[in-house]
Each structure stands twice: as C-alpha cells, then as structure tokens.
Amino acid sequence: MNAKRMLLDTALAHFAQEGYEGASLQKIAEDVGIKKPSIYAHFKGKDDLFLSTLKNALKEEKRRITRYFISRKDQPLENRLSELLEFLQEEYTRSNESKFVLRMAFFPPSSLYDEVMELIYPFLDSMERRVVQLMEQSKRDGTVHIVPSEDAALAYMTLTDGILVEMVYGGLPGAQRRLKASWPIYWAGIQASDARKGL
C-alpha cells in the first residue's frame, strides 16, 4: 500500500473517532510511520486531507448502498427500504466510513461547512433519487400503490434522518426503537388513498 493510501486510511480512523478538531496530523503521521512534514508531499494540509478522506468515504458508502440494493433486487419494496435503515445502522457500528460520513453530515466542522456540504448534499440527493427509482419501478410492476414517488421518497429521507441522528446521539438501541415505532406508520402513510379504501 502506498503512503497516500495509508494516510487516507489512517486519517479516516482518526477523523471518524475524533472529528476534525480532535484529529492530529502528528498522530496520523506517527500511525502511518512517517514524519509529519511528509504528509505535505501528498496533501496541502489538514483541510485537504480531511476533504480527501471524506470524498473517499462517500464513494465507499455509495458503493455499499448500491451493492445492498443489487443484492435485494428481488425483494418487495417495503423490505428493501426498511432493511436499508437496518443496514445503515449496522454500518455505523462497524464501518469507519459510515461513522465518518454520518457524523460529518450532522456535525460538519464550522471552518469547512460549505466544502463538506458540497460533498454531502449530492450523496444524499443520489440516495433520494435511487429511492424514487425503486418506487417508480414497483409502481410499474403493480406491486405497490403509493402516493407520488417524490413525496414518498422525501418522507423516507426525513425518516432516515431521524433514525440516523439517534445513532449519533443515543446509539443503536435508541435508533432501533425509532425504526420499529415509525416504520409501520410511515409505510401505512404513503399508501395511495385508493389503496387504503379497502382497509
């Protein structure tokens, strides 16, 4: 593994655990086995290393979510969407990329707020578009009858925010409770009115 890759991997662990302010270039360099000035051969400074680490983490998270959907392409829409929230909870507990991305989405460093959000928003937008596509496909297949897909997807992303912010503040048990309580209400709520008439 080359030095730049090692720096990114090591920085990820430090930024995920300690945040931007708490992470130290000196400690990152020591963990890689290089002198601190050697970092500047690969990155302009802490900001550059941080943003490069975030870009890589977002790419990896996007790949994992894509693999998740591919592996469950034959499951009903309700299962795919509810289990994605369980998957994201599990990812937060075991993946530095997921932990880093989630913490930066809710608590970006104030000095890099605009730069971080320029990376986070496209990631969230792509996830919302994927949910819309899944809903539209399920509608075409005739397997679901729900409110307009854009509205249902936006509500899904709002639900996702509420569950994942609990992961950051309260940990896994609290997030699991939120999901268990809110999912049946969400799923019932997005059913199209003509589908609810028979209830």
Side-chain angles (χ1 to χ4, degrees), residues 25-197:
L25 289 185
Q26 181 65 42
K27 290 181 181 177
I28 291 170
E30 288 172 2
D31 284 356
V32 173
I34 62 175
K35 302 284 188 184
K36 179 181 172 181
S38 299
I39 292 177
Y40 297 97
H42 305 282
F43 300 98
K44 296 173 185 175
K46 188 175 184 180
D47 290 0
D48 186 27
L49 177 58
F50 176 86
L51 293 171
S52 296
T53 303
L54 181 57
K55 285 176 189 175
N56 281 357
L58 286 164
K59 285 178 187 175
E60 181 57 31
E61 280 301 284
K62 194 170 183 178
R63 278 195 292 266
R64 287 176 181 163
I65 291 171
T66 299
R67 286 197 299 267
Y68 166 87
F69 280 125
I70 291 172
S71 70
R72 291 160 176 81
K73 59 184 173 63
D74 297 324
Q75 291 188 11
L77 178 66
E78 181 181 6
N79 290 12
R80 280 185 283 175
L81 293 180
S82 64
E83 290 172 11
L84 174 62
L85 296 175
E86 295 175 4
F87 172 77
L88 293 174
Q89 290 174 350
E90 293 167 6
E91 282 288 287
Y92 181 81
T93 64
R94 69 186 176 204
S95 159
N96 277 332
E97 286 92 354
S98 181
K99 186 174 293 184
F100 181 42
V101 166
L102 185 54
R103 288 184 175 181
M104 290 309 104
F106 292 118
F107 308 112
S110 57
S111 62
L112 292 173
Y113 179 87
D114 291 340
E115 293 89 338
V116 169
M117 290 298 104
E118 283 176 9
L119 298 174
I120 294 289
Y121 282 135
F123 172 78
L124 296 176
D125 289 345
S126 70
M127 186 173 167
E128 185 175 335
R129 285 194 302 271
R130 173 63 66 90
V131 173
V132 170
Q133 291 166 359
L134 290 172
M135 290 177 170
E136 287 295 305
Q137 182 63 53
S138 294
K139 283 183 176 182
R140 288 193 295 270
D141 294 344
T143 55
V144 298
H145 302 281
I146 59 176
V147 300
S149 299
E150 290 78 9
D151 294 341
L154 184 57
Y156 179 81
M157 296 301 293
T158 303
L159 174 63
T160 302
D161 279 350
I163 290 168
L164 294 182
V165 77
E166 180 63 22
M167 285 292 300
V168 177
Y169 279 114
L172 183 59
Q176 289 173 329
R177 285 195 300 274
R178 286 194 180 195
L179 175 56
K180 184 178 180 181
S182 59
W183 181 259
I185 298 170
Y186 166 78
W187 188 251
I190 67 168
Q191 303 304 303
S193 57
D194 58 344
R196 289 200 296 263
K197 287 177 182 177

